[in-house]
């Protein structure tokens, strides 16, 4: 178990958890949504800026929670910047499949670059720890809610 945990909390995840990227509330944004994971106590807000072509021009977050939830949000903001909303939704679905263990390498990922896929794969290691899946997917669920006009989601 300890070895597996060490593998899970890889250096990259720890680094993102400790110093999250895009951890701020932008002065202007188009959408925001609040996400709560009561099981672990993770709570975050996602801020999205979209242009007229439905491209994500900026994405940022604030909140508090375990290292996995913060690292996942941090890595998500890096991955989504500059991406169309449609692609972001595709990525969310693929990531969710990876985390729940239904599909280790969803075909939908073929159209994304190596670096993006690699980051998702790193986080998808949580599937060995069902309790942690909600931590890793919280930011993505919240982003999805923001895109679809919901202002709040809970993993319960
Ligand atoms: Zn958590």
């Amino acid at each position: 178990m300890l070895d597996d945990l060490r593998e899970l909390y890889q250096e990259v995840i720890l680094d993102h958890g400790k110093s999250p990227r895009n951890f701020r509330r932008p002065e202007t944004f188009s959408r925001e949504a609040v996400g709560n994971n009561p099981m672990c106590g993770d709570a975050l807000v996602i801020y999205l800026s979209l242009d007229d072509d439905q491209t994500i021009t900026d994405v940022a977050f604030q909140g508090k929670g375990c290292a996995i939830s913060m690292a996942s949000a941090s890595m998500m903001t890096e991955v989504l910047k500059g991406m169309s909303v449609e692609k972001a939704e595709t990525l969310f679905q693929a990531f969710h499949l990876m985390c729940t263990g239904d599909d280790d390498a969803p075909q939908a990922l073929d159209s994304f670059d190596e670096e993006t896929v690699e980051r998702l794969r790193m986080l998808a290691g949580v599937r060995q720890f069902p309790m942690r899946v909600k931590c890793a997917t919280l930011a993505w669920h919240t982003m999805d809610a923001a895109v679809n006009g919901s202002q709040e989601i809970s993993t319960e």
Side-chain angles (χ1 to χ4, degrees):
M1 183 68 180
L2 267 182
D3 277 348
D4 284 341
L5 261 180
R6 247 179 244 126
E7 206 177 308
L8 173 64
Y9 287 83
Q10 290 171 55
E11 215 174 300
V12 181
I13 294 182
L14 270 179
D15 178 53
H16 275 269
K18 257 191 245 164
S19 16
R21 322 298 198 264
N22 300 303
F23 191 88
R24 61 191 157 81
R25 183 181 193 275
E27 273 180 37
T28 60
F29 50 87
S30 338
R31 307 276 177 88
E32 73 179 305
V34 178
N36 279 297
N37 176 22
M39 288 249 300
C40 179
D42 310 318
L44 47 80
V45 190
I46 301 284
Y47 305 101
L48 283 179
S49 295
L50 308 176
D51 68 9
D52 294 341
D53 298 325
Q54 295 294 102
T55 296
I56 300 169
T57 53
D58 192 24
V59 46
F61 80 106
Q62 282 192 322
K64 57 182 167 58
C66 66
I68 294 285
S69 67
M70 291 296 108
S72 177
S74 171
M75 289 166 91
M76 183 189 79
T77 60
E78 287 197 322
V79 165
L80 293 187
K81 211 167 186 172
M83 196 174 274
S84 71
V85 162
E86 198 187 337
K87 283 196 95 172
E89 292 277 90
T90 304
L91 206 53
F92 167 54
Q93 301 301 340
F95 179 56
H96 200 264
L97 282 175
M98 286 165 81
C99 284
T100 50
D102 290 342
D103 192 348
D104 197 20
Q107 213 169 22
L109 287 179
D110 289 354
S111 59
F112 292 91
D113 63 77
E114 193 93 347
E115 206 190 324
T116 299
V117 174
E118 196 53 43
R119 279 162 188 241
L120 295 193
R121 192 152 285 144
M122 218 178 275
L123 280 165
V126 296
R127 68 169 166 272
Q128 294 158 11
F129 310 92
M131 294 273 293
R132 289 300 194 181
V133 170
K134 286 177 174 176
C135 302
T137 55
L138 178 64
W140 290 83
H141 278 290
T142 310
M143 177 280 293
D144 179 58
V147 162
N148 291 298
S150 308
Q151 272 157 3
E152 202 165 341
I153 62 119
S154 173
T155 55
E156 272 195 339

